[in-house]
Amino acid sequence: MQTEVELLNTSKPRHIAIIMDGNGRWAQKRLLPRAMGHRAGVKTVRKIVEFCASEEIEVLTLFAFSSENWRRPKEEVSLLMNLFFSTLQTEIDRLDRNNIRIHFIGDRSAFSEKLQNKINQGENQTRNNDGLNLVIAVNYGGRWDIKEATKSIAESVMLGQLQISDINEEAIRKRLSIADLPEPDLFIRTGGEKRISNFLLWHLAYTELYFTPELWPDFDKESMKKAIEDFSTRQRRFGHTGEQINNKLQNLK
Ligand code: IPE
Ligand code: IPE
Ligand code: MG
C-alpha cells in the first residue's frame, strides 16, 4: 500500500495503466488489414516498455485483450492469440535481460495449453527481477476480477476463516489481481474513446484519467512524456479540499 504522501505526489506516476486502442483504425486509414495495425501496435508496446523501464516507472499495466474481445470475428481473435504467443516467444528473454518482471492478469484458462505454458514460463523466468513490473491484462475484465474476489470471500466464509462482519474493502482489495502492486496513478487510453471498457474497475477508483485521440501505433515516447507532464499538473484530493491538500504538501517541505 502507498502512503498518503506518495499518493499526493504527482511528480512521477509509480503505476501507469494503458488501454492500447486504435490498432484497427490505424490500419484501416492506410487501407491495410486490421492485422497490420495489431503488428504495428506490438512495436509501440516495445517502445513504451523500454521508456517506462528507463524512466524507472515501477508498474506498467497494458490491456491487451478484454474478456469482451472474444466477440470479434474469429479470424481476428485467432490472429491476436497467435501474435500474443509469437511476441512472448521472442520478447521474454529480452525482458528478462532488462530486469523486467512480467505478470499476467485475466482468465488464462480460456487459452490453449501452449499459450498457458508460455505465460507461466514468462512469469517464472522473470520472477526474481526487480526492475519494471510489466502487467499484461489478457482475457481480463474488471467485473471478472471482482467476481473472482467475491467467490474467494464466499469460500473463506464457508470455511470459517472469515466472518461476514470482517468483510471490508481491504478484504476485497487483497483478493483482486495485482493486489501486491501499487494502484494505478495514471490511466491512459489512446484511440479517442472516453470509456473504461471493463478494464481495472476497482483499481481505477482514484486514478487520474488521460484520454488522447492518438491511435496506439502512433503513440510514442513523446506522447508518454506529454501524458506524464499532464499528470504532474493534477492535484489529487481523495475527497479532501484543495486547501487541505496544499497544507499537507506544504508541511512536507
Ligand atoms: C486495440 O485496438 C487492440 C485490441 C482490442 C486487441 P482495436 O483493435 O480495438 O482498434 P480499433 O478500436 O478497432 O481501432
Ligand atoms: C479495449 O478496447 C480493450 C483493449 C484495448 C484490449 P476495445 O476496442 O475492445 O474497446 P471498446 O469495444 O471500443 O469499448
Ligand atoms: Mg478498439
Side-chain angles (χ1 to χ4, degrees):
M1 288 281 270
Q2 296 106 301
T3 63
E4 188 180 24
V5 172
E6 283 167 343
L7 287 167
L8 295 181
N9 181 356
T10 54
S11 58
K12 188 169 92 180
R14 291 178 71 188
H15 181 171
I16 303 177
I18 308 183
I19 297 189
M20 313 183 284
D21 197 18
N23 292 348
R25 278 163 286 165
W26 181 91
Q28 279 158 350
K29 255 176 48 182
R30 288 165 178 73
L31 305 177
L32 295 167
R34 292 176 61 87
M36 298 301 282
H38 294 311
R39 279 183 212 291
V42 173
K43 285 193 190 152
T44 303
V45 170
R46 219 177 272 138
K47 281 188 242 166
I48 297 307
V49 168
E50 194 181 289
F51 173 85
C52 288
S54 72
E55 292 292 309
E56 296 182 350
I57 300 292
E58 290 177 40
V59 190
L60 173 66
T61 299
L62 300 175
F63 203 5
F65 190 87
S66 78
S67 45
E68 287 71 36
N69 286 143
W70 298 106
R71 296 173 183 160
R72 295 194 175 198
K74 70 176 192 308
E75 296 74 27
E76 179 161 345
V77 169
S78 97
L79 175 120
L80 286 167
M81 291 299 146
N82 290 335
L83 189 60
F84 182 38
F85 181 83
S86 63
T87 304
L88 290 180
Q89 178 98 319
T90 55
E91 299 298 320
I92 289 173
D93 284 346
R94 210 158 64 104
L95 293 167
D96 190 19
R97 277 200 304 278
N98 285 293
N99 195 27
I100 294 168
R101 178 168 177 187
I102 325 173
H103 313 247
F104 294 89
I105 59 171
D107 182 4
R108 54 184 84 175
S109 69
F111 299 140
S112 69
E113 202 183 316
K114 191 173 103 168
L115 186 48
Q116 287 190 46
N117 289 340
K118 208 20 109 196
I119 286 173
N120 294 337
Q121 185 214 324
E123 282 180 335
N124 290 332
Q125 189 177 328
T126 62
R127 188 168 296 282
N128 296 320
N129 294 345
D130 59 5
L132 174 71
N133 285 286
L134 174 62
V135 182
I136 310 286
V138 268
N139 194 17
Y140 178 85
R143 289 177 176 175
W144 166 84
D145 207 354
I146 294 170
K147 180 201 74 183
E148 288 297 307
T150 308
K151 275 191 189 169
S152 152
I153 286 180
E155 200 172 273
S156 301
V157 170
M158 222 170 68
L159 294 171
Q161 297 159 344
L162 184 71
Q163 299 303 310
I164 290 185
S165 55
D166 290 335
I167 301 175
N168 52 21
E169 289 188 13
E170 179 55 18
I172 301 172
R173 192 200 65 81
K174 71 180 195 197
R175 287 172 169 85
L176 292 164
S177 302
I178 49 170
D180 48 343
L181 296 173
E183 289 190 349
D185 302 297
L186 171 62
F187 159 96
I188 299 173
R189 181 173 188 143
T190 64
E193 312 301 342
K194 295 186 181 68
R195 53 177 172 253
I196 305 291
S197 298
N198 200 16
F199 193 27
L200 301 159
L201 296 181
W202 175 283
H203 311 72
L204 292 176
Y206 260 110
T207 305
E208 295 298 323
L209 308 180
Y210 181 87
F211 296 94
T212 166
E214 262 183 300
L215 304 173
W216 179 249
D218 293 328
F219 196 77
D220 61 11
K221 292 181 187 181
E222 288 310 311
S223 324
M224 268 302 260
K225 281 187 196 159
K226 249 194 252 165
I228 293 173
E229 176 86 26
D230 188 275
F231 171 81
S232 72
T233 67
R234 311 272 181 106
Q235 184 190 50
R236 305 186 77 182
R237 294 193 200 106
F238 300 97
H240 292 100
T241 65
E243 224 166 25
Q244 287 176 301
I245 300 298
N246 285 335
N247 288 340
K248 277 179 200 279
L249 291 171
Q250 202 57 41
N251 288 339
L252 292 175
K253 284 183 188 153

